[in-house]
């Protein structure tokens, strides 16, 4: 059979076409305790719920009590300074009204933010592989693979999202590369193994502006840039080593699950703005499990605590390992400032310990025509 094309390219009949990027079904061995583990990047990882001894058991009728706190106040000087800073960030606003306004009243509001943090750990597995370069193959001959929750990993700082991938001991074995069928090289998919591609300057005609194309010397074909004219390229899966070492990879995910609630008690102020500011934490309760708050004067906070605890236990206690919980109550400063300017009445809000301002109506602004 003639392996030359009309432009002089040479096809290597021994170079295989690229196989699948993931190992085909049936190639991987079965590992006891890890049946059903998918190939890496193919479908979702297989998730393993924690053993019963790691499932938290809440005590009945337990609760947490909270101390009383003083309502924070904002002075006129602080309210004016906050408004001047806000106006300075708005290039269409003038500072004169903020400097000359006359305060009529400063009304503080009691605003609490309840937050429940549940730090969870989940474990899943997937098959992974790497080029085999004569490294140690830790297979079943060295022992029985440990269950997913017995594999030792280093836990990150509490309430910090993190992910760690760990090789499960005694699950490794070597197989011929499924991509190149053990050849180490595959046929180039740009030139289809011929080593040459159509010239992009003359579009394969060999002529440009009525003359021989100077880029392909009139042949209409150029050396393939992807394989440098060889017609084949190094297998990108085994990196030319022909064999792969497969192993089960444990994927451990730590996540800080958060439940938050801020009662909406001040008409005219968007509760969503509280997400961008901080308050003063006067209550912090942290333990392996926390319990609903009772006896707090703001009943909506007690209800939010009960709702958040029930929700987190229902969502996470069976499918994940709850490592720690923390619940906090913040007192977020919120003051509505009423003032007068040029015999007109206005108001704005000062909120958060950062003294941010929400002023939907301001006496004057520049108008660019």
């Amino acid at each position: 059979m003639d392996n030359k094309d009309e432009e002089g390219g040479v096809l290597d009949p021994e170079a295989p076409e690229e196989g699948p990027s993931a190992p085909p079904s049936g190639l991987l061995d079965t590992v006891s305790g890890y049946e059903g583990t998918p190939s890496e990047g193919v479908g979702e990882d297989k998730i393993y719920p924690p053993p019963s001894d790691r499932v938290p058991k809440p005590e009945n009728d337990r609760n947490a009590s909270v101390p009383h706190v003083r309502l924070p106040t904002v002075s006129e000087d602080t309210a004016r300074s906050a408004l001047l800073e806000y106006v300075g960030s708005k290039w269409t606003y003038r500072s004169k009204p903020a400097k000359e306004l006359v305060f009529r009243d400063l009304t503080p509001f009691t605003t609490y933010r309840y937050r429940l943090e549940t730090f969870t750990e989940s474990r899943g597995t997937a098959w992974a592989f790497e080029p085999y370069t004569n490294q140690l193959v830790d297979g079943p001959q060295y022992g029985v693979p440990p269950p997913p929750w017995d594999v030792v990993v280093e836990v990150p700082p509490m309430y910090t999202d993190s992910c760690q991938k760990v090789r499960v001991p005694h699950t490794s074995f070597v197989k011929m590369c499924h991509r190149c069928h053990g050849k180490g090289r595959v046929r180039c998919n740009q030139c289809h193994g011929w080593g040459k591609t159509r010239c992009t300057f003359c579009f394969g005609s060999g002529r440009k502006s009525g003359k021989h194309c100077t880029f392909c010397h009139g042949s209409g074909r150029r050396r393939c840039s992807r394989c440098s004219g060889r017609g084949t390229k190094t297998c990108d899966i085994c990196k030319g080593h022909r064999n792969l070492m497969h192993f089960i990879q444990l994927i451990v995910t730590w996540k800080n699950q958060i439940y938050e609630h801020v009662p909406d008690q001040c008409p005219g102020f968007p509760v969503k703005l509280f997400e961008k500011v901080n308050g003063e934490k006067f209550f912090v309760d942290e333990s392996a499990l926390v319990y609903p708050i009772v006896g707090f004067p703001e009943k909506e906070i007690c209800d939010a605590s009960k709702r958040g605890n029930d929700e987190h236990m229902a969502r996470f206690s069976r499918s994940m390992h709850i490592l720690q919980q923390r619940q906090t109550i913040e007192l977020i400063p919120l003051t509505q400032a009423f003032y007068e300017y040029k015999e007109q009445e206005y108001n704005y809000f000062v909120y958060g310990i950062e003294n941010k301002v929400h002023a939907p109506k301001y006496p004057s602004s520049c108008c660019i025509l």
Side-chain angles (χ1 to χ4, degrees):
M1 178 180 176
D2 186 5
N3 292 323
K4 288 187 176 182
D5 70 355
E6 64 273 20
E7 276 81 357
V10 179
L11 178 67
D12 181 1
E14 298 296 320
E17 293 186 4
E18 285 185 319
S21 58
S25 176
L27 175 68
L28 305 178
D29 295 352
T30 299
V31 178
S32 177
Y34 291 88
E35 294 85 356
T37 295
S39 297
E40 185 177 26
V42 179
E44 296 183 356
D45 301 335
K46 182 176 180 180
I47 302 298
Y48 298 84
S52 58
D53 61 343
R54 300 201 188 197
V55 176
K57 297 175 177 59
E59 300 176 29
N60 294 327
D61 302 322
R62 279 284 301 275
N63 52 59
S65 58
V66 182
H68 292 276
V69 293
R70 291 177 55 193
L71 185 64
T73 58
V74 171
S75 68
E76 290 188 2
D77 287 344
T78 301
R80 192 186 302 275
S81 296
L83 183 60
L84 281 168
E85 184 176 344
Y86 171 78
V87 169
S89 68
K90 306 289 185 179
W91 67 277
T92 60
Y93 286 10
R94 294 189 301 151
S95 62
K96 184 178 179 181
K99 293 177 181 177
E100 298 181 357
L101 64 82
V102 177
F103 286 107
R104 295 306 181 196
D105 188 27
L106 295 174
T107 304
F109 291 88
T110 306
T111 308
Y112 300 108
R113 171 163 53 206
Y114 173 78
R115 176 180 291 169
L116 172 64
E117 298 170 90
T118 300
F119 189 51
T120 62
E121 176 184 330
S122 62
R123 297 193 174 199
T125 56
W127 281 103
F129 54 78
E130 63 183 25
Y132 176 61
T133 57
N134 295 319
Q135 67 268 45
L136 174 68
V137 181
D138 180 16
Q141 68 272 22
Y142 289 101
V144 178
W149 285 94
D150 286 353
V151 178
V152 179
V153 294
E154 185 177 348
V155 179
M158 288 292 174
Y159 312 109
T160 304
D161 290 355
S162 183
C163 183
Q164 192 177 138
K165 294 182 178 181
V166 181
R167 191 172 305 195
V168 177
H170 317 320
T171 61
S172 301
F173 56 86
V174 176
K175 295 278 187 180
M176 181 180 71
C177 178
H178 54 272
R179 183 78 149 185
C180 64
H181 307 289
K183 300 292 185 181
R185 300 187 68 82
V186 293
R187 188 176 297 173
C188 176
N189 54 16
Q190 179 163 297
C191 65
H192 306 291
W194 292 102
K196 292 187 176 184
T197 58
R198 187 174 67 165
C199 177
T200 56
F201 294 92
C202 67
F203 302 103
S205 68
R207 302 186 68 79
K208 186 76 171 177
S209 301
K211 300 179 181 179
H212 266 52
C213 177
T214 57
F215 289 95
C216 64
H217 306 290
S219 69
R221 310 282 283 179
R222 298 189 71 199
R223 187 174 67 172
C224 177
S225 59
R226 182 167 296 178
C227 66
S228 300
R230 290 189 294 267
T232 63
K233 61 178 183 176
T234 302
C235 176
D236 58 356
I237 296 294
C238 69
K239 311 303 181 187
H241 293 285
R242 303 187 177 189
N243 293 304
L244 297 172
M245 184 167 74
H246 298 263
F247 54 89
I248 292 178
Q249 190 163 251
L250 179 69
I251 300 98
V252 187
T253 304
W254 293 274
K255 186 168 180 59
N256 192 28
Q257 318 283 354
I258 298 176
Y259 173 92
E260 263 188 10
H261 180 73
V262 178
D264 186 0
Q265 296 181 329
C266 181
F269 183 83
V271 175
K272 193 171 182 63
L273 293 178
F274 285 130
E275 296 176 2
K276 300 180 180 180
V277 296
N278 295 302
E280 295 182 20
K281 290 180 182 176
F282 63 89
F283 174 76
V284 179
D285 178 25
E286 185 171 358
S287 185
L289 284 180
V290 297
Y291 296 88
I293 293 169
V294 297
F296 190 64
E298 183 70 63
K299 185 177 182 301
E300 194 170 340
I301 293 297
C302 296
D303 293 342
S305 175
K306 176 72 165 62
R307 189 165 55 249
N309 272 266
D310 290 347
E311 182 180 307
H312 275 204
M313 287 299 294
R315 288 178 59 193
F316 308 126
S317 64
R318 295 296 176 184
S319 60
M320 303 177 186
H321 181 202
I322 295 178
L323 297 173
Q324 194 86 343
Q325 284 189 310
R326 177 170 63 192
Q327 60 181 347
T328 59
I329 302 178
E330 289 176 82
L331 182 58
I332 309 176
L334 176 64
T335 298
Q336 189 170 13
F338 296 89
Y339 66 94
E340 188 176 298
Y341 179 71
K342 291 187 176 180
E343 299 181 352
Q344 294 290 321
E345 293 184 350
Y346 303 89
N347 70 84
Y348 65 95
F349 295 92
V350 181
Y351 63 101
I353 60 177
E354 299 88 351
N355 290 327
K356 295 292 184 181
V357 167
H358 173 60
K361 293 183 180 180
Y362 188 66
S364 65
S365 61
C366 298
C367 182
I368 299 177
L369 300 177

